[in-house]
Amino acid sequence: MTQLGDTGHHKAQRRTAWLLPEDGVIDPVAIDLAARGVRPVALTPRERRIAAALILAVGGTPNTIAKRLHMAHSNARVLADQVTADRPAA
């Protein structure tokens, strides 16, 4: 949602508000909330990758990843490709 008077800087801040700096801690509750789409949750890059894998594991799509993890669709497609490339062959 764009508000009147928003500058590019403020828009960029809102976009990055969902991505936390990597801190070496994995929060399984935050990952679960984000992956299930219960509510918006800020995640670290590692947590975001795990949440994306969980979304894909239950049949989700890059579109689902983009919506639930608050990221651009193009980035969600790249993340989905990375996650599926990491999976071992069955």
Side-chain angles (χ1 to χ4, degrees), residues 8-52:
H9 177 70
H10 288 117
K11 289 178 187 177
Q13 282 182 324
R14 279 200 312 271
R15 278 195 301 265
T16 58
W18 297 112
L19 189 60
L20 299 173
E22 196 63 68
D23 59 4
V25 177
I26 302 294
D27 183 347
V29 174
I31 294 168
D32 182 60
L33 290 171
R36 290 188 300 127
V38 173
R39 67 179 173 87
V41 180
L43 302 172
T44 65
R46 187 175 300 163
E47 291 167 340
R48 184 181 267 193
R49 187 178 187 91
I50 295 167

Side-chain angles (χ1 to χ4, degrees), residues 62-64 66-67 71-78:
N63 186 49
T64 308
K67 287 180 181 177
M71 58 193 308
H73 286 82
S74 58
N75 292 342
R77 281 192 301 274
V78 169

Side-chain angles (χ1 to χ4, degrees), residues 51-86:
L54 290 173
I55 292 167
L56 293 171
V58 295
T61 64
N63 186 49
T64 308
I65 292 171
K67 287 180 181 177
R68 292 186 184 174
L69 303 186
H70 306 281
M71 58 193 308
H73 286 82
S74 58
N75 292 342
R77 281 192 301 274
V78 169
L79 182 57
D81 289 343
Q82 291 172 348
V83 168
T84 55
D86 289 346

